[in-house]
Amino acid sequence: EGDAATNAWENNFQAWGGIAGTPEQVTERLSKLKDAGLAYGIIFFQEVAYDRSGLELFAQKVIPELQ
């Protein structure tokens, strides 16, 4: 799905260790890292200065699944 430029960006982002996707996809990826020994992570939402929706979605859907 999506155009070639978007797919290339997403593949490069993920190759460098970035995590993006639906709340379910992000939860699954972080759960695997947690199971492998991840104790904490640094979470960055580039758009948070003008759009808090991603941060709020993460707080509501992802964090509770990881606790």
Side-chain angles (χ1 to χ4, degrees):
E1 292 185 28
D3 62 32
T6 300
N7 290 336
W9 183 90
E10 287 175 353
N11 290 337
N12 189 44
F13 178 75
Q14 291 177 0
W16 284 94
I19 299 174
T22 66
E24 294 80 14
Q25 292 168 327
V26 171
T27 299
E28 180 181 350
R29 182 97 184 270
L30 288 175
S31 291
K32 288 179 182 178
L33 291 171
K34 182 180 176 184
D35 292 345
L38 178 73
Y40 71 94
I42 298 171
I43 309 299
F44 176 68
F45 292 86
Q46 184 172 354
E47 73 286 353
V48 77
Y50 57 87
D51 180 2
R52 295 178 48 95
S53 63
L55 177 62
E56 291 169 356
L57 187 61
F58 185 82
Q60 293 171 357
K61 300 285 184 174
V62 177
I63 292 174
E65 295 295 323
L66 298 173
Q67 296 177 332

